Amino acid sequence: MQLTKAQARRAGRRKTRRYSPRDLVVLSVLLGIPVLIDITIIWGPTLASVGLSFTDWDGIGEIQWVGGDNYSSLVSDYPRFWPAVRNNLLWLAFLGLVATPFGLLLAVLVDKGVRFSRFYQSTLYMPVVLSLAIVGFIAQLVFSRDQGALNAILANQEQPVDWLGDPDLNIWMILLAAGWRHVGYVMILYLAGLKSVDPTLKEAAAIDGANDRQTFFRVVFPTLRPVNVIVGVITVIEGLRAFDIVYAVNNGRNGLELLSVLVTDNIIGEASRIGFGSAIATVLLVVSLGFIVTYLVHELRGERDR
């Protein structure tokens, strides 16, 4: 099919159009500044930390190259490392397998239009606006051994339970506090996804004889794949970057060790082992990227195969 003269002229103008110097300046500014900020604040320190992980440096003296000695010492000679790895994986498992499904359940219940749904949304979302440090202080008020609300409710005044001092219990109490905040966040994300589901899909499933459970798992939940990706990435990030709540309770010690706490203790603590702390940060970076990239590849591949 031949183009008309007008169409040919328009196509020619589109092909020969060039950006003016002003356009190039605007594009350079709008793209260059964010990229520069990202490199300066995010990737610059990240790559510097990876490089410093192969050195021995106290932040003041001469930097000495030690190769992989920091990593071998971290694995074999640092007793706080493996408990921190276990606790980080426990955080990830709890948030992913308990808090996230519970947030999804609350979103489904609220989406059904129960009475006072606005009140429930506000109440459940309220912890999200609090920082984890504030959540840690609230946890102290609730789980404190001598003046905590939980022991007062249980009437354990003579033999109070040390919820935060017992290393066999404190990690679970802190996970409950962190999960309290995470549930509200997940609920809002899934609630937004549920509101966007086409009602005709549910009606078609009901006509075919599907019950509520079958409709949700076979019709509604597959349409929430984009929300699942967001929630999955957020859950991994929350589980691996946790720091302020345990630091507010007991400085991340006595059963609450996390990799982020070990990084802080070694880099800005009295030891000032910048290289060793950078090695821990690099391990945390690799683990985080491993989880996130694997999850994203799996979800995107599933989206492509649909």
Side-chain angles (χ1 to χ4, degrees), residues 7-268:
Q7 291 175 333
R9 283 197 299 268
R10 286 196 295 269
R13 284 197 297 268
R14 283 197 296 266
K15 291 180 180 178
T16 59
R17 181 185 175 186
R18 296 180 179 179
Y19 290 109
S20 66
R22 181 179 178 181
D23 294 336
L24 294 176
V25 171
V26 172
L27 287 174
S28 299
V29 171
L30 293 179
L31 294 177
I33 292 179
V35 170
L36 181 62
I37 293 176
D38 186 64
I39 293 175
T40 303
I41 298 179
I42 305 297
W43 291 106
T46 299
L47 296 177
S49 181
V50 173
L52 288 173
S53 67
F54 298 99
T55 67
D56 181 14
W57 186 41
D58 60 2
I60 300 176
E62 183 180 355
I63 300 178
Q64 298 181 354
W65 181 266
V66 296
D69 290 351
N70 286 329
Y71 293 97
S72 61
S73 177
L74 181 65
V75 173
S76 58
D77 299 328
Y78 193 48
R80 298 178 62 193
F81 175 71
W82 290 113
V85 172
R86 180 199 62 199
N87 288 343
N88 269 113
L89 293 177
L90 188 60
W91 271 73
L92 186 60
F94 182 84
L95 294 182
L97 301 179
V98 179
T100 296
F102 188 59
L104 174 59
L105 174 63
L106 293 177
V108 172
L109 294 177
V110 172
D111 184 60
K112 288 183 176 296
V114 296
R115 294 183 61 186
F116 310 113
S117 61
R118 296 289 184 183
F119 171 77
Y120 296 142
Q121 290 180 45
S122 302
T123 303
L124 294 170
Y125 184 74
M126 184 173 61
V128 181
V129 303
L130 304 176
S131 68
L132 277 176
I134 300 299
V135 175
F137 292 131
I138 295 175
Q140 287 181 306
L141 296 176
V142 175
F143 300 120
S144 177
R145 178 181 180 274
D146 298 322
Q147 299 178 347
L150 183 57
N151 278 333
I153 294 174
L154 297 177
N156 291 338
Q157 300 301 322
E158 296 182 358
Q159 296 180 342
V161 179
D162 195 359
W163 301 103
L164 298 179
D166 188 345
D168 294 329
L169 295 176
N170 56 12
I171 184 64
W172 300 107
M173 300 302 105
I174 296 302
L175 285 175
L176 286 176
W180 172 58
R181 180 178 182 271
H182 186 73
V183 163
Y185 197 4
V186 171
M187 181 201 69
I188 291 297
L189 292 175
Y190 273 121
L191 190 59
L194 290 171
K195 295 296 184 183
S196 65
V197 175
D198 189 352
T200 58
L201 296 176
K202 300 179 183 179
E203 296 173 1
I207 294 175
D208 291 339
N211 55 33
D212 290 343
R213 179 176 176 276
Q214 293 172 332
T215 300
F216 177 76
F217 284 105
R218 296 184 181 181
V219 177
V220 176
F221 190 72
T223 63
L224 297 176
R225 181 178 291 272
V227 182
N228 292 334
V229 173
I230 296 174
V231 171
V233 172
I234 289 175
T235 300
V236 171
I237 293 174
E238 289 291 328
L240 296 178
R241 76 173 182 87
F243 167 77
D244 31 11
I245 184 172
V246 297
Y247 210 79
V249 173
N250 65 355
N251 295 331
R253 300 179 182 273
N254 191 31
L256 297 180
E257 293 85 358
L258 294 173
L259 290 176
S260 56
V261 175
L262 301 187
V263 173
T264 303
D265 287 346
N266 282 277
I267 290 181
I268 66 174

